[in-house]
Amino acid sequence: MITRNSQIIVDNYSSIPVKHACKALWRDIENTCVDRGQKGIDIILKKEAGFVPECFSLKKEGEKLFLTASDDLGLIYGIYHISKTFLGVNEFWFWDEQVFDKKDGYEVPEGYCFASKPCKVRFRGWFINDEVLFDGWREAVGENFPWEMAFEALLRCGGNMTIPGTDANAHRYKKLATEYGLWITHHHAEPMGARMFARAYPDLEASFDKYPELFRGLWKEAIEEQKDANVIWNIGFRGQGDRPFWVDDPAYDTPEARGKLMSDLMLEQYNMIKAEDENAICCMNLYGEIMELYREGHLSIPDDVIRIWADNGFGKMVSRRQNNHNPRVPALPNKGDSGAHGIYYHASFYDLQAAAMMTMLPNPPEFVIRELSQVFDRGMKDFWIINCSNIKPHVYYLDLIARMWRGEVAPVMEEDGAKAEAERFTLDHCKTYYGTSSENGVPEIAELYRLWPKYTVAYGDHEDDRAGEQFSNHGARILACAFISGFEKEHPEKTRKTEELNWLLKADTLADQVQWHLKKYEGGVHGYEEYLEKCKTVVDAVKEGRIPGGEDLIRQLDNNLINQVEYH
C-alpha cells in the first residue's frame, strides 16, 4: 500500500522539475492518507535509456513500485499517474476543489505493470492569458502559488508547453515554467518572446523602417535570455498590443507590402535563431489578418516552421471576427499539405463583443469534438496551444481538450458520434469531480453540464454564434455610449444607430438596435432563471440527503457551475 510512511526515492537521477513533481506527490499522500504508523510501499524513480520520449513504465516488485523513464517529462507524467491511479487525485483537483476522504493507505495490486503511450499531439499546452484574475487572491497564498497550481494541472493533463502569461508576466514566469519542466513558446503579439517595442521604447514610434536596429536588439536580447530553456520560437511581426503592425506604421497600405515586410522579418528572425541553435524549433501564427495574407499568397515562410491556425474564439476553425469584419475564412490547411501544422484554440476568448472569459465556452462539447476532429483529420498534430484564461471557470472544456490530445476522447466528425463521445466525457468528468464517495447524483450533475450550452443565447446564423457574458456586458455598454453621444433631442426615434454593432444586425436607428438587444436579453434572463432553478433542485436534493456529498458538494457545484449561471 501507499501510506504516509511510503518513501519517494530518486535512484540515480534528479532535476528541479522532477523534484517539483515529487513534492506534489508527497503533498497528495499527506492529503489522502492518515498516518497510523503503517509501513508503505516505496516509490523508486529511475532514469534509463531506451524509452520513447515522455513515456514511462510502472512496475511493482515486492514492496517497491519502480517508475522508469528516459527523461524528465516521462518521470513527471509517471509521478502524476501514481497520484491519480492510486490516490485518486485528479488532474484539476485544485481548480475543481476536489474533496478527499483520507484512508490508511491505497493498495497497489500485486504484479502491477503499466507502460504509457505517447500523446497524439507533439507540443501541447496552455496560454495563461487572463492572469489578472489571479491577482485578487495570490496575496493570500503567495506570489507564485497560482502559477505553480496552473503548471501542475497542465502537467497532470499531459501538457508539455506554455505561454506563461502576457507582456511582463510572460517574462516574469518563464523561469518558473521551465523549472516545472515545460517548454516555452510565445504569444503572437510578442514574437520570439521579445519585449514589445512600445514597452522598451515608449517615446518612439513603433516603426521597423525608422528603428530597425532597435527591433533587432530586442530579438537578440530575447535569444540570449532564453537560450538555456526548451523553446518553440514564435516568429512574426505584429503591432504593439496585439493588432496589425500597419496600424502603427500606415506606410504599409497594401497586402503585398505588408506580406513582404512580414516575410522578410520572419526569415531574418529564423536565421538569427538557427545561428544560435541549428536544431531550434520555430513556429508562426496564422492569426486574424495574417491568415488572410497567407491565403492570398503574400507570405513566404521557411519550410520547417510550424504553421499555427487559430479558431475564431468560439471554437470554430475559421478566421476570427475583428470589429465588423467577419469573412470566416476556413482556418485549416489544405488536405495533403505535408508541412508541420498546429492550432491556437480558445477555451476562453476576449473580443468585447460576445466572447466568454469569465464563464465557460458557450458552445457544446460535441461541437468542440467535431472541430478538433477536423484538426486531426488535416494532420495538425505538431502544436496545440489552448487559451485557458485563468483556468478555474474553464475546467470542463480544458479537460475535454486534454483528453483529446491524450487520445482518450475519439476524434469523430459525424454529429451523432460526436454527441455520443461528448456524453461519455460529461458523465466521466462529473463522476471524476463530484462522485468520489458515491455515483449517486452524478447523472443529475451531468445533466446540469449538458444544459449549459442549451441556455446560451444564439445571436447569429452560424452554429457557433452563441453568446458568452461579453454579449450582455459590452452590448449594453455600446448601446449606452451611442445613446449618450448621438441622442437626437428633437427626434429621439431618429437617433442614429451605432456602427459598432453592424457585425451583429442590420438596423437603421439606435432604437432598432435597442429593441433587438432587449428581446435577446429578456430571453436570456428568462432562460438563465429557469436554468438556475434546475441547479437549485440538485442542491436541494443534496441538502435533503437524497444525493450524498453535503456542504462540500454544494460548495463545489456553486463555485464550479452555479456562480457562472448567476453571473449570466
Side-chain angles (χ1 to χ4, degrees), residues 207-217 219:
S207 167
F208 183 83
D209 286 350
K210 290 183 178 179
Y211 305 107
E213 292 310 312
L214 295 183
F215 276 96
R216 291 184 178 113
W219 300 340

Side-chain angles (χ1 to χ4, degrees), residues 322-538:
Q322 298 192 88
N323 300 315
N324 291 319
H325 183 57
N326 190 21
R328 291 180 68 90
V329 178
L332 295 164
N334 296 326
K335 284 196 172 184
D337 189 328
S338 59
H341 296 279
I343 58 170
Y344 171 36
Y345 198 79
H346 292 80
S348 170
F349 189 46
Y350 187 90
D351 71 349
L352 303 183
Q353 291 183 329
M357 182 188 77
M358 302 294 290
T359 61
M360 289 190 286
L361 186 75
N363 289 306
E366 57 266 29
F367 166 81
V368 173
I369 290 170
R370 285 190 282 113
E371 289 301 305
L372 293 180
S373 297
Q374 282 192 79
V375 166
F376 277 127
D377 184 60
R378 296 296 176 93
M380 304 163 75
K381 302 176 184 178
D382 295 283
F383 182 107
W384 285 19
I385 192 77
I386 311 301
N387 190 317
C388 70
S389 182
N390 67 318
I391 303 168
K392 173 67 179 172
H394 310 288
V395 164
Y396 178 60
Y397 287 94
L398 291 174
D399 188 18
L400 172 63
I401 294 166
R403 292 185 193 215
M404 290 201 75
W405 78 37
R406 294 197 304 264
E408 296 170 11
V409 169
V412 185
M413 287 186 283
E414 183 264 325
E415 189 167 345
D416 288 344
K419 282 184 177 179
E421 207 59 29
E423 172 72 9
R424 282 191 290 273
F425 159 72
T426 299
L427 278 170
D428 191 67
H429 178 87
C430 293
K431 179 181 176 182
T432 297
Y433 290 100
Y434 300 102
T436 51
S437 59
S438 168
E439 291 189 31
N440 183 18
V442 168
E444 291 88 343
I445 294 169
E447 179 61 17
L448 296 182
Y449 275 86
R450 284 190 209 96
L451 290 172
W452 174 262
K454 297 183 188 302
Y455 281 103
T456 57
V457 174
Y459 61 81
D461 297 330
H462 305 104
E463 65 172 334
D464 53 296
D465 286 344
R466 305 195 71 85
E469 80 282 345
Q470 292 188 358
F471 179 74
S472 50
N473 290 346
H474 293 282
R477 182 179 297 174
I478 289 166
L479 291 171
C481 288
F483 174 74
I484 292 167
S485 62
F487 181 59
E488 293 280 353
K489 189 173 182 180
E490 298 300 323
H491 301 283
E493 73 281 359
K494 294 183 179 179
T495 298
R496 294 184 306 277
K497 69 174 183 177
T498 170
E499 301 291 331
E500 280 189 76
L501 295 173
N502 284 352
W503 65 273
L504 188 57
L505 74 154
K506 293 180 180 178
D508 296 322
T509 66
L510 184 65
D512 293 335
Q513 292 175 321
V514 168
Q515 290 298 324
W516 187 92
H517 277 81
L518 181 61
K519 185 177 179 181
K520 291 292 181 182
Y521 288 172
E522 288 179 337
V525 167
H526 174 77
Y528 282 115
E529 286 175 344
E530 182 178 289
Y531 188 7
L532 193 57
E533 284 304 309
K534 293 179 184 295
C535 294
K536 288 179 178 177
T537 298
V538 176

Side-chain angles (χ1 to χ4, degrees), residues 24 27-28 32 80-100 126 149 152-158 395 399 403 406 428-437 556:
R27 178 207 59 218
D28 295 346
T32 58
Y80 289 130
H81 178 88
I82 292 169
S83 178
K84 179 179 174 68
T85 303
F86 301 114
L87 306 178
V89 180
N90 297 310
E91 288 85 354
F92 294 97
W93 72 271
F94 173 78
W95 300 97
D96 246 8
E97 304 179 41
Q98 184 182 355
V99 177
F100 301 114
W126 294 342
M149 291 294 96
E152 180 185 314
L154 174 56
L155 288 162
R156 286 179 178 270
C157 287
V395 164
D399 188 18
R403 292 185 193 215
R406 294 197 304 264
D428 191 67
H429 178 87
C430 293
K431 179 181 176 182
T432 297
Y433 290 100
Y434 300 102
T436 51
S437 59
Q556 279 185 283

Side-chain angles (χ1 to χ4, degrees), residues 197-357:
F197 187 92
R199 180 74 68 196
Y201 304 105
D203 298 326
L204 299 180
E205 181 184 350
S207 167
F208 183 83
D209 286 350
K210 290 183 178 179
Y211 305 107
E213 292 310 312
L214 295 183
F215 276 96
R216 291 184 178 113
L218 292 175
W219 300 340
K220 290 175 184 175
E221 175 187 88
I223 292 173
E224 180 64 25
E225 182 190 70
Q226 299 169 91
K227 66 181 181 181
D228 295 327
N230 287 325
V231 180
I232 301 111
W233 297 92
N234 195 316
I235 60 174
F237 191 68
R238 258 201 135 203
Q240 307 302 292
D242 195 10
R243 58 188 180 183
F245 73 84
W246 50 88
V247 173
D248 303 304
D249 200 344
Y252 292 89
D253 56 0
T254 67
E256 292 81 5
R258 295 164 180 172
K260 185 176 187 311
L261 180 65
M262 282 200 68
S263 299
D264 290 346
L265 295 186
M266 282 193 291
L267 181 60
E268 184 171 344
Q269 293 167 355
Y270 175 87
N271 288 334
M272 288 172 67
I273 293 163
K274 290 289 187 176
E276 284 290 329
D277 178 6
E278 63 181 14
N279 297 313
I281 302 165
C282 296
C283 64
M284 64 85 59
N285 284 82
L286 298 170
Y287 188 64
E289 75 285 346
I290 298 171
M291 187 176 72
E292 293 179 48
L293 291 175
Y294 181 78
R295 286 289 195 195
E296 293 166 4
H298 300 304
L299 286 181
S300 177
I301 305 165
D303 291 341
D304 62 342
V305 172
I306 301 170
R307 277 80 162 161
I308 304 169
W309 304 74
D311 74 305
N312 65 345
F314 297 84
K316 186 71 176 176
M317 291 304 297
V318 296
S319 60
R320 65 163 290 191
R321 178 177 60 237
Q322 298 192 88
N323 300 315
N324 291 319
H325 183 57
N326 190 21
R328 291 180 68 90
V329 178
L332 295 164
N334 296 326
K335 284 196 172 184
D337 189 328
S338 59
H341 296 279
I343 58 170
Y344 171 36
Y345 198 79
H346 292 80
S348 170
F349 189 46
Y350 187 90
D351 71 349
L352 303 183
Q353 291 183 329
M357 182 188 77

